[in-house]
Amino acid sequence: MASTASRSRISLANLSPARGSLHKQKRVGRGQGSNHGGTAGRGHNGQKSRSGAGIKPGFEGGQTPITKLFPKRGFVNQNERVWAPVNLERIQHWINLGRLSCSPEKPITARELLFSGCVHDIHDGIKVLGDGAEFLTSQIYITPSRASKSAIRAIEDRGGQVVCKYYNPLALQDCVKGRTDRITAAPTRRQDIMWYSKFQNRGFLSPDLLKKLGDAPFVEERWKLLSQQLGKWRKQEFDVEKKKK
């Protein structure tokens, strides 16, 4: 009791930094007595001892940098995407183990696949493949970024539904974190817009797919709005081409 009573109460008056967390400022050019006088720690002569010597990384004093000595081949595709593949056989196995579940109200997304261990990295999105379709027995509802034709056919034959949804990096991150406070992403590249508006790809912008799904619980109102806007844009584009002819 005595030791507890003798302890001082913590307040702003007795707060201090942790021991060793603060260091004295290194003052240079203040005489030889400071051990940092004269050349101020820069040594004698040389490019790095001059004022304003901002040497960029990779600079080798004027000689040809090593990055220019080796030939380069090919190019880097800025629009390339790496999909995380998942087979129907693996999804069915995860469902049998009780590690995955789905319903029209809560379809399988990248979040469920990642947290259940069905995939180890989502990369740029999930792509469902049709390998092991003969083992698929469950009626599944899933919204990946891509799906093969064999996977779409196998899922729909069992009474399920697959809708390919567009995700940019931020939207994919929100999907994994379960955030719903931000507006979902919409494709901006013409190639993506055309791909996600085709029924054969089961794209979420396809008018035929949205008409088929009707008022399914997992259909978002934003999908219908974007599909309507896309239809108006196509009509305007068609009218402009018609006038040119």
Side-chain angles (χ1 to χ4, degrees):
M1 293 296 292
S3 60
T4 305
S6 62
R7 294 176 185 173
S8 59
R9 185 176 180 180
I10 297 177
S11 64
L12 294 176
N14 55 18
L15 285 177
S16 61
R19 182 177 297 178
S21 63
L22 298 180
H23 304 277
K24 290 184 178 180
Q25 181 183 1
K26 181 180 178 181
R27 303 181 71 223
V28 297
R30 294 297 185 270
Q32 298 295 335
S34 65
N35 293 328
H36 301 296
T39 59
R42 294 191 177 195
H44 295 281
N45 302 335
Q47 185 178 9
K48 291 186 178 180
S49 69
R50 315 301 183 187
S51 62
I55 304 174
K56 297 180 180 179
F59 182 69
E60 299 181 14
Q63 73 175 9
T64 306
I66 192 172
T67 55
K68 290 187 177 182
L69 292 176
F70 293 95
K72 282 81 175 174
R73 296 196 178 188
F75 68 101
V76 177
N77 187 0
Q78 300 295 334
N79 297 318
E80 182 184 8
R81 292 173 185 166
V82 179
W83 306 114
V86 57
N87 293 315
L88 293 177
E89 180 183 3
R90 186 174 179 87
I91 293 177
Q92 182 61 55
H93 181 57
W94 250 240
I95 292 176
N96 295 338
L97 294 176
R99 300 175 68 174
L100 269 180
S101 61
C102 65
S103 63
E105 292 78 15
K106 191 176 181 182
I108 299 174
T109 63
R111 175 184 173 87
E112 285 76 26
L113 293 174
L114 181 63
F115 289 167
S116 65
C118 194
V119 295
H120 301 293
D121 194 347
I122 55 175
H123 296 292
D124 295 323
I126 301 295
K127 182 171 183 177
V128 181
L129 302 178
D131 292 352
E134 63 274 11
F135 300 104
L136 181 65
T137 58
S138 301
Q139 184 179 3
I140 66 174
Y141 299 86
I142 187 169
T143 56
S145 298
R146 290 284 197 275
S148 65
K149 292 181 180 179
S150 58
I152 293 173
R153 183 168 55 252
I155 292 173
E156 292 183 350
D157 287 346
R158 274 74 170 180
Q161 186 61 54
V162 53
V163 179
C164 294
K165 184 179 177 182
Y166 172 80
Y167 293 97
N168 62 7
L170 183 59
L172 194 60
Q173 179 182 347
D174 289 345
C175 177
V176 172
K177 292 185 177 181
R179 289 189 58 171
T180 57
D181 57 329
R182 284 197 278 221
I183 299 176
T184 56
T188 55
R189 295 178 61 243
R190 185 184 183 90
Q191 184 179 357
D192 292 334
I193 293 174
M194 300 305 294
W195 196 94
Y196 283 101
S197 61
K198 292 181 179 179
F199 176 77
Q200 62 185 14
N201 299 329
R202 299 304 187 269
F204 74 112
L205 295 179
S206 172
D208 297 334
L209 178 64
L210 294 176
K211 185 177 180 180
K212 176 184 176 183
L213 295 176
D215 297 330
F218 61 89
V219 176
E220 302 177 10
E221 291 296 327
R222 179 167 169 78
W223 298 359
K224 300 178 181 180
L225 178 63
L226 292 174
S227 181
Q228 293 174 1
Q229 292 177 352
L230 180 60
K232 292 180 181 178
W233 172 75
R234 282 181 171 176
K235 186 178 180 181
Q236 292 176 358
E237 192 177 47
F238 176 77
D239 293 340
V240 170
E241 292 180 356
K242 190 175 181 181
K243 288 180 180 179
K244 289 181 180 179
K245 294 179 180 179

